[in-house]
Amino acid sequence: MTRIPKNHPRYKSLMTREKISLAMKKGLVHETGLIAHGRGEAFDYLIGEKTQPFAEMAEKIAAALLLYAKNPVISLNGNVVALSAKECISLSNAVPAKLEVNLFHRTNERVKKIIDNLKSIGAKEVYGFNANAYIPGLNHDRGLCEKDSIYSADTVLVPLEDGDRCQALRNMGKIVITIDLNPLSRTSKTANVTIVDNVIRAIPTIEKWIKVLKRNDKSELNSLIDTWDNEKMLKEVLCFISRRLQDL
Ligand code: PTJ
């Protein structure tokens, strides 16, 4: 890794870039994952590189949905594992939810590498390698998934997702929660709950809310979930960004 001086004003951001770059060299992240990361960075700048109230609320609703679900699954890709592997494992234990590796640029080799990496840092069971089902409507390998995991899930958390798969999962009747720094993406517009925040901050915040909401019964969770209006929140994000730009 390139040595980044700790007093560099962009230390955190540069270290994150190093993480993604290293994960690509290890074969965990696809090369286009670097481009996706750059796009995410640009949007993170626009929201001030911190968890804004609209994201905090979405993270709370996400926690309620994961607790309410009968069969929740967290879908993992190369970028998510590079940036938040330990945090995703911890969240999956807290809910509890299954973990499945589900890639856009799928190769068995990369799925295996990612699963091995997750297991080496504490994940017990990770689905995705023995893909034996297909998300209907996707004529591409990204539709491959496991019957006992994403295919039969009622609620799926899919950070950094692509719009088509998000729509296909919704067409299957699933509740889709996404984490996407771009409030204009098709994924953001298609998901039931869009968390406009960096996956690095979002996953631990969802877990924080899991711990708070775990004491609530299903009807209390349901009342909370009912208050959510994703379209309204996305408009709020755009207003927030334009106000912020005018104020600068
Ligand atoms: O590992 P694979 O093969 O499954 O591929 C993963 C990527 C991310 C390469 C693939 O899914 C892809 O191409 O994604 P997109 O269509 O570029 O979408 C990624 C979205 O995530 C974009 O809208 C980015 O703004 C957003 N994003 C990037 N980094 C982050 C992020 N959102 C939250 N946190 C981030 N760190």
Side-chain angles (χ1 to χ4, degrees):
M1 261 167 101
T2 310
R3 201 188 71 81
I4 312 281
K6 278 216 163 107
N7 60 354
H8 192 290
R10 302 288 307 154
Y11 178 76
K12 241 169 129 177
S13 168
L14 292 175
M15 286 303 288
T16 306
R17 280 190 183 177
E18 287 297 313
K19 255 189 179 176
I20 282 271
S21 151
L22 192 67
M24 193 204 79
K25 285 172 194 149
K26 284 186 187 163
L28 300 170
V29 166
H30 187 263
E31 60 205 34
T32 62
L34 302 189
I35 300 168
H37 182 73
R39 182 157 48 167
E41 276 185 341
F43 280 103
D44 209 6
Y45 240 83
L46 294 177
I47 63 161
E49 294 178 302
K50 59 180 181 195
T51 301
Q52 298 295 348
F54 49 77
E56 181 85 39
M57 196 57 206
E59 283 148 2
K60 183 176 180 183
I61 299 292
L65 281 167
L66 290 169
L67 287 171
Y68 191 82
K70 284 201 179 82
N71 189 9
V73 176
I74 303 171
S75 175
L76 302 171
N77 65 22
N79 286 45
V80 174
V81 168
L83 299 179
S84 301
K86 276 194 179 144
E87 292 76 7
C88 286
I89 295 168
S90 176
L91 176 63
S92 80
N93 290 330
V95 176
K98 289 172 184 161
L99 292 169
E100 175 162 347
V101 174
N102 195 231
L103 302 181
F104 186 91
H105 307 278
R106 186 187 171 97
T107 62
N108 282 344
E109 190 196 352
R110 194 153 67 92
V111 174
K112 187 175 178 318
K113 263 192 190 165
I114 294 177
I115 293 176
D116 289 348
N117 179 276
L118 288 161
K119 289 195 169 162
S120 75
I121 55 168
K124 287 185 195 83
E125 185 160 31
V126 185
Y127 293 85
F129 189 76
N130 299 310
N132 52 1
Y134 212 87
I135 302 167
L138 292 175
N139 57 350
H140 185 271
D141 278 356
R142 73 202 144 120
L144 286 167
C145 62
E146 288 206 32
K147 216 171 222 159
D148 291 339
S149 181
I150 286 183
Y151 191 81
S152 53
D154 53 353
T155 300
V156 198
L157 169 62
V158 278
L160 280 71
E161 180 58 340
D162 89 281
D164 277 7
R165 189 163 48 191
C166 183
Q167 183 64 61
L169 289 168
R170 285 220 52 190
N171 293 346
M172 289 176 84
K174 300 181 193 304
I175 300 284
V176 179
I177 306 161
T178 194
I179 302 170
D180 192 335
L181 280 160
N182 178 3
L184 299 165
S185 75
R186 279 181 312 126
T187 305
S188 288
K189 291 181 184 160
T190 310
N192 298 82
V193 176
T194 304
I195 298 168
V196 184
D197 202 359
N198 199 312
V199 69
I200 297 172
R201 300 186 296 268
I203 300 286
T205 313
I206 299 173
E207 186 172 343
K208 174 189 85 180
W209 282 111
I210 291 284
K211 286 174 184 154
V212 174
L213 296 174
K214 233 179 180 164
R215 291 172 234 130
N216 290 30
D217 62 32
K218 291 253 171 184
S219 73
E220 287 169 316
L221 292 174
N222 203 21
S223 310
L224 179 61
I225 292 163
D226 271 350
T227 62
W228 188 248
D229 182 338
N230 208 52
E231 215 177 305
K232 191 166 155 221
M233 181 277 307
L234 287 175
K235 281 190 188 141
E236 200 187 308
V237 179
L238 294 177
C239 288
F240 173 87
I241 292 175
S242 47
R243 260 199 323 271
R244 201 167 169 264
L245 290 177
Q246 277 169 6
D247 290 348
L248 285 175

